[in-house]
């Protein structure tokens, strides 16, 4: 990566860090740094344009619609404005904005509009951060934020959720494992993503087994 691009990455890191200063723990700057690192790791094996991948990973959650009254246009707008003030080409800006618009799980429930290798890599990284030990921690953070119960044996998971139901997030956190987290392994785009997902998936199954053992003592 040349000097110009390294500068762009450093500026973007500063911008994102400051924007996410007050973000909730599941979507904070640490989440962004984990997704960045995972994206780089996957790209080492799968290829792709490194500048697009890094900028896409850094900007993918710049304004999560969940925390902006459901408005899904704010994130892409903020990213576009920021990038237009950096030395990034118009074509690259368009690509990165499309990545941000199409990366999320809820949008995939309605059929994704756009794809590229770079999007596939960042999407795998974002999904990997939703599973395994870190994924479990994030799910309970989100469940706490929604004041959802940990578990309710009477409440069966809804395996065929549409986007609107998913967004309401009224479920138990244990049900969220079946409604989303356990599905992610088979939704990985790249072989490298899938490989990393296997281990994290196994750990979630182990967690659930222990959870039910303790619940049903
Ligand atoms: P995406 O941005 O891909 O659409 P979300 O924003 O829905 O994904 O999810 C972000 C994080 O919050 C993930 O770790 C996800 O598992 C968690 N999460 C989302 N909905 C729930 C829920 N109803 N209960 C617990 N965790 C949730
Ligand atoms: Ni994310």
């Amino acid at each position: 990566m040349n000097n110009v691009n390294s500068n762009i990455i450093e500026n973007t890191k500063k911008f994102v860090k400051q924007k996410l200063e007050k973000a909730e723990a599941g979507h904070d700057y640490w989440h962004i740094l984990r997704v960045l690192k995972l994206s780089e790791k996957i790209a080492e094996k799968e290829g792709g344009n490194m500048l697009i991948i890094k900028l896409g990973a850094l900007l993918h959650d710049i304004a999560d619609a969940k925390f902006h009254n459901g408005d899904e246009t704010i994130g892409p707008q903020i990213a576009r404005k920021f990038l237009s003030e950096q030395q990034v080409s118009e074509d690259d800006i368009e690509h990165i904005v499309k990545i941000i618009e199409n990366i999320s799980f809820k949008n995939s429930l309605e059929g994704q509009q756009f794809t590229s290798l770079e999007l596939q890599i960042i999407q795998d990284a974002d999904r990997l951060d939703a599973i395994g030990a870190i994924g479990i921690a994030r799910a309970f953070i989100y469940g706490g934020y929604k004041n959802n119960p940990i578990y309710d044996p009477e409440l069966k998971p809804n395996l065929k959720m549409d986007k609107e139901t998913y967004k309401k997030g009224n479920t138990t956190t244990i049900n969220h494992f079946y409604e989303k987290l356990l599905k992610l392994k088979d939704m990985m785009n790249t072989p490298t993503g899938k490989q990393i997902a296997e281990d994290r998936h196994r750990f979630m199954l182990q967690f659930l087994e222990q959870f039910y053992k303790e619940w049903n003592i």
Side-chain angles (χ1 to χ4, degrees):
M1 189 148 286
N2 63 33
N3 270 343
V4 176
N5 287 354
S6 308
N7 269 339
I8 299 172
I9 300 295
E10 281 319 303
N11 289 346
T12 310
K13 280 187 175 166
K14 268 188 223 139
F15 175 72
V16 174
K17 185 171 186 200
Q18 177 251 321
K19 271 269 177 220
L20 294 181
E21 219 168 13
K22 297 197 171 67
E24 149 283 336
H27 286 89
D28 59 2
Y29 186 59
W30 292 110
H31 164 65
I32 303 299
L33 290 181
R34 291 191 302 266
V35 171
L36 176 65
K37 209 199 303 176
L38 276 166
S39 301
E40 288 167 343
K41 219 178 159 60
I42 298 171
E44 273 172 29
K45 297 265 166 58
E46 307 285 341
N49 177 322
M50 227 34 212
L51 180 67
I52 304 261
I53 291 172
K54 287 185 182 192
L55 291 177
L58 282 167
L59 291 163
H60 84 276
D61 271 335
I62 194 70
D64 192 310
K66 265 201 289 314
F67 310 113
H68 292 84
N69 295 319
D71 190 335
E72 289 169 17
T73 63
I74 295 184
Q77 269 172 43
I78 295 177
R80 186 188 294 279
K81 177 163 184 299
F82 170 78
L83 291 171
S84 68
E85 290 156 3
Q86 309 298 312
Q87 283 177 282
V88 181
S89 74
E90 273 307 311
D91 283 356
D92 285 355
I93 295 179
E94 283 314 313
H95 190 168
I96 295 161
V97 168
K98 280 213 176 74
I99 289 175
I100 301 169
E101 285 169 344
N102 287 279
I103 194 171
S104 90
F105 177 78
K106 59 186 175 303
N107 288 342
S108 76
L109 296 173
E110 281 195 337
Q112 201 171 291
Q113 304 297 316
F114 164 85
T115 195
S116 68
L117 175 60
E118 289 77 10
L119 167 61
Q120 290 183 322
I121 288 173
I122 304 166
Q123 193 171 50
D124 278 2
D126 197 29
R127 287 174 173 170
L128 285 169
D129 203 55
I131 63 176
I134 288 175
I136 295 172
R138 290 181 72 212
F140 283 100
I141 279 277
Y142 185 86
Y145 160 80
K146 283 284 194 181
N147 204 16
N148 287 341
I150 296 174
Y151 177 52
D152 179 346
E154 299 295 316
L155 226 82
K156 296 296 165 221
N158 175 359
L159 296 178
K160 294 222 157 36
M161 259 198 230
D162 59 22
K163 181 173 164 182
E164 287 314 309
T165 320
Y166 177 78
K167 267 170 40 181
K168 288 202 188 93
N170 298 327
T171 186
T172 69
T173 303
I174 291 294
N175 275 354
H176 184 66
F177 282 72
Y178 301 93
E179 290 162 350
K180 174 178 175 184
L181 307 185
L182 294 172
K183 292 180 181 172
L184 292 176
K185 168 176 75 70
D186 293 325
M187 291 172 69
M188 288 293 146
N189 301 302
T190 67
T192 311
K194 189 155 179 82
Q195 197 188 336
I196 304 174
E198 295 287 348
D199 184 48
R200 296 183 184 210
H201 184 86
R202 244 195 318 275
F203 185 78
M204 291 194 295
L205 294 178
Q206 209 184 321
F207 170 81
L208 287 170
E209 196 183 315
Q210 174 76 13
F211 184 93
Y212 296 128
K213 204 159 94 189
E214 294 177 13
W215 190 278
N216 295 316
I217 199 164

